[in-house]
Amino acid sequence: MHNKTSLSQLAADPSCMDDYDPSAMSVTQARLFIAQFLQPVTETEALSLRESLGRVLAVNIIAPSNVPAHNNSAMDGYAFKFSAGVKIIKVIGTAFAGRPFMGNLKAGECVKIMTGAMIPKGADTVVMQEHTVQKSDNIALLEETKQGANIRLAGEDLKLDQTVLAKGHAMKPADIGLVASLGIGEVQVFRKLKVAFFSTGDELVGVGEKLEAGQIYDSNRYTLHSMLARVGAEMSDFGNVPDNPILLEKTLLEAAQNNDVVITSGGVSVGEADYMKALLAKHGQVLFWKINMKPGRPLAYGKVAHAHYFGLPGNPVSAMVTFYQFVQPALLALSGAACMAMPVFKVECTQAIKKTTGRTEFQRGLLFADAETWKVKPLPKQGSGVLSSMSLANCFIVLDETVGNCAAGEMVNVQLLEGII
Ligand code: AMP
Ligand code: MG
């Protein structure tokens, strides 16, 4: 793969590398290309456990104890020392969760035990209450219970000294609970990424303002803000900037100054004579690509000062697709998150799709339940300006470069837009 110097070399002279064609980049090539320049942040901060939701661990979390700490009962029942053939056992006490029975059980003795209560000394088996009959101080065992039954062993969930969560892990609700189960109340995480963004275009108007003829509302800054919020970035919104070289230059330089990443939308179409390209050539090392994909063909990536720069296409659907396919994975990598491939799986597509080979398409799709089976259909309007298709979709139908027309009933790859968490 290419090395670091290639960014400035390539920006100055795209023909300097044999296998590099900015006007025909595959999705995979572009992803790999960007990945080589991503150095994760190094600064960390200590957060209280609850605050760490969604953040990336900067250290391994090692178990300071077993979880559970003691053998305990998985059932409400009676704890006793197993002995083959024994049917009647004497009840000599009770063990509650958090209030152990402190005695030592002898053969023929048991204690009534609640779920989660510590197994008393001498006991090795728990019989479910439903499998017993109590008669005065004794219980009769109605069914054969296996030795060791209904006991949760110490360390069954987490073992002392094991790595519970590795550095680079992004904290989910289950992780927060897991760390709490170890009694750890504070964790070390990487700092948030600082991301600046702005929209470009003379036609753009902020929401709340009146539209004149030919103007449109700047929706990209709203989708971008939301997508960045989901990634957990610390955001700086530089507004919508008209196609004015002085204003664009000022905003670009300001945005790049104290941020890890700058994202713009609009004005990066390859071959288009516009100010952004000239500015980026002047102030950064930025590569302009035509990606073999639909939607989202033009994409710019590079560096402006110390900030990573992503120039997204202006069309609202293209901006979202390129964000999800290139920017989001890059932001996760920069946040120190361990690489997690987005799951892609095959589902039957109920409608035919027209497609030419040689490019990857991310069609907006709807996964729906057809009797017992989940199937997918493409949404009817697939234009790169039809943002309602993104709103209606719950998945991308991913048709890679090798795929041509799909007949109804064929299996297609899908990528979920929303997960359970
Ligand atoms: P551009 O990439 O600047 O040539 O823009 C391509 C298309 O996207 C044009 O129709 C623009 O009007 C539209 N567009 C650009 N920026 C935005 C934005 N921030 N919000 C909504 N549409 C936009
Ligand atoms: Mg524009």
Side-chain angles (χ1 to χ4, degrees):
M1 209 52 213
H2 327 275
N3 61 33
K4 277 217 152 211
T5 53
S6 63
L7 188 58
S8 47
Q9 283 171 351
L10 281 173
D13 175 17
S15 64
C16 72
M17 197 181 286
D18 289 347
D19 61 344
Y20 176 75
D21 180 0
S23 62
M25 291 285 277
S26 74
V27 171
T28 313
Q29 246 181 328
R31 267 196 207 121
L32 287 173
F33 207 96
I34 295 168
Q36 71 185 309
F37 299 109
L38 306 173
Q39 293 298 327
V41 296
T42 50
E43 299 92 334
T44 68
E45 57 181 321
L47 288 184
S48 75
L49 182 55
R50 282 182 181 174
E51 282 180 309
S52 72
L53 182 65
R55 301 294 294 273
V56 180
L57 289 177
V59 290
N60 290 341
I61 295 203
I62 310 290
S65 59
N66 280 323
V67 176
H70 307 281
N71 291 355
N72 68 88
S73 180
M75 294 284 172
D76 291 333
Y78 296 89
F80 63 105
K81 182 171 176 56
F82 181 86
S83 176
V86 168
K87 292 268 170 7
I88 306 287
I89 321 177
K90 187 175 180 208
V91 184
I92 61 159
T94 307
F96 296 94
R99 266 193 288 151
F101 175 83
M102 299 311 282
N104 199 344
L105 292 190
K106 296 198 279 290
E109 292 177 343
C110 70
V111 296
K112 194 170 166 62
I113 193 162
M114 311 304 153
T115 305
M118 206 171 125
I119 302 296
K121 280 204 189 85
D124 62 0
T125 305
V126 170
V127 55
M128 281 169 73
Q129 187 160 325
E130 292 85 336
H131 293 170
T132 64
V133 182
Q134 182 154 15
K135 292 179 201 152
S136 65
D137 278 355
N138 292 317
I139 54 158
L141 305 181
L142 300 178
E143 300 196 15
E144 185 73 19
T145 303
K146 277 205 190 114
Q147 185 166 22
N150 301 318
I151 291 183
R152 300 172 184 151
L153 297 174
E156 185 176 283
D157 190 355
L158 302 173
K159 288 224 163 17
L160 169 69
D161 289 336
Q162 88 169 76
T163 301
V164 176
L165 296 170
K167 175 180 171 179
H169 185 88
M171 295 291 279
K172 306 185 302 300
D175 307 321
I176 302 284
L178 195 66
V179 175
S181 78
L182 291 163
I184 298 173
E186 193 180 84
V187 291
Q188 200 72 23
V189 298
F190 288 114
R191 73 160 166 83
K192 284 188 175 185
L193 270 194
K194 287 183 261 181
V195 182
F197 59 99
F198 59 95
S199 302
T200 70
D202 277 339
E203 73 280 33
L204 303 178
V205 171
V207 299
E209 288 170 43
K210 197 168 167 295
L211 279 192
E212 302 294 341
Q215 294 182 322
I216 58 165
Y217 286 117
D218 173 8
S219 61
N220 284 350
R221 228 157 24 89
Y222 285 77
T223 45
L224 253 179
H225 182 275
S226 309
M227 293 187 292
L228 289 168
R230 285 283 173 98
V231 177
E234 204 175 286
M235 292 177 268
S236 302
D237 182 349
F238 282 78
N240 58 296
V241 182
D243 295 315
N244 168 322
I246 295 166
L247 284 178
L248 285 170
E249 183 170 40
K250 182 173 169 285
T251 314
L252 179 70
L253 293 180
E254 243 178 81
Q257 210 164 44
N258 288 316
N259 288 291
D260 303 301
V261 179
V262 176
I263 304 173
T264 64
S265 80
V268 293
S269 301
V270 180
E272 196 180 285
D274 61 56
Y275 305 115
M276 268 323 267
K277 279 187 75 177
L279 274 177
L280 291 162
K282 180 174 165 194
H283 293 292
Q285 296 118 38
V286 176
L287 312 170
F288 295 87
W289 294 331
K290 273 190 202 164
I291 315 260
N292 290 338
M293 70 185 273
K294 189 185 168 189
R297 226 154 105 76
L299 176 73
Y301 167 72
K303 284 279 191 82
V304 177
H306 292 294
H308 294 267
Y309 171 79
F310 292 91
L312 307 182
N315 277 309
V317 177
S318 311
M320 288 194 81
V321 172
T322 43
F323 181 92
Y324 285 134
Q325 300 301 327
F326 302 106
V327 185
Q328 183 160 301
L331 296 181
L332 293 176
L334 288 171
S335 313
C339 171
M340 294 264 279
M342 284 188 256
V344 175
F345 52 93
K346 286 213 185 294
V347 180
E348 182 190 324
C349 186
T350 57
Q351 286 176 27
I353 300 178
K354 275 200 168 160
K355 152 105 176 29
T356 43
T357 55
R359 70 181 181 208
T360 304
E361 286 198 15
F362 296 91
Q363 295 224 349
R364 275 70 67 214
L366 190 68
L367 282 160
F368 64 98
D370 182 19
E372 300 287 284
T373 317
W374 281 81
K375 295 180 178 172
V376 72
K377 61 183 173 195
L379 286 160
K381 295 182 197 162
Q382 293 287 333
S384 59
V386 181
L387 192 51
S388 55
S389 72
M390 275 303 295
S391 168
L392 291 168
N394 56 11
C395 70
F396 285 130
I397 299 173
V398 186
L399 306 166
D400 73 29
E401 291 177 46
T402 60
V403 174
N405 288 333
C406 291
E410 261 186 60
M411 302 295 278
V412 294
N413 281 328
V414 297
Q415 231 174 22
L416 287 180
L417 287 176
E418 298 275 347
I420 198 170
I421 303 175

